[in-house]
Amino acid sequence: MTPSSPHVLVNVNGRYITVAHGTTVAAALALAACGAARTSVSGEPRAPVCGMGICQECRVRVDGNVRLACQTLCAQGMLVEPMA
């Protein structure tokens, strides 16, 4: 990808995908077909619900830091890992 490229390459749970600039991590999760941002205490996959950061269901690790997927834009080379 060149600096002027309209796309970025991100690693979502071990799978590399290309998304458009301005794509949220929540959307990248859906595009990567995993959809889940974290796993509940009972082991159920949890996905983004509200899309505006209120519900906290979209918590993920982005480059080792906890972030809300619905409020974080994808960046070139970003590593996104669902929370356990």
Side-chain angles (χ1 to χ4, degrees):
M1 301 286 139
T2 64
S4 61
S5 174
H7 296 92
V8 293
L9 182 68
V10 295
N11 181 327
V12 179
N13 201 24
R15 179 176 178 206
Y16 286 94
I17 63 168
T18 301
V19 297
H21 274 289
T23 300
T24 64
V25 172
L29 287 169
L31 290 170
C34 68
R38 65 185 193 85
T39 304
S40 71
V41 184
S42 62
E44 296 295 318
R46 304 298 292 178
V49 177
C50 73
M52 61 184 180
I54 302 298
C55 72
Q56 306 285 308
E57 289 295 330
C58 66
R59 290 184 311 263
V60 291
R61 277 199 198 285
V62 175
D63 295 331
N65 300 302
V66 177
R67 299 274 189 250
L68 296 177
C70 70
Q71 294 187 341
T72 305
L73 297 179
C74 292
Q76 182 66 28
M78 177 181 277
L79 173 61
V80 179
E81 301 170 294
M83 301 282 293

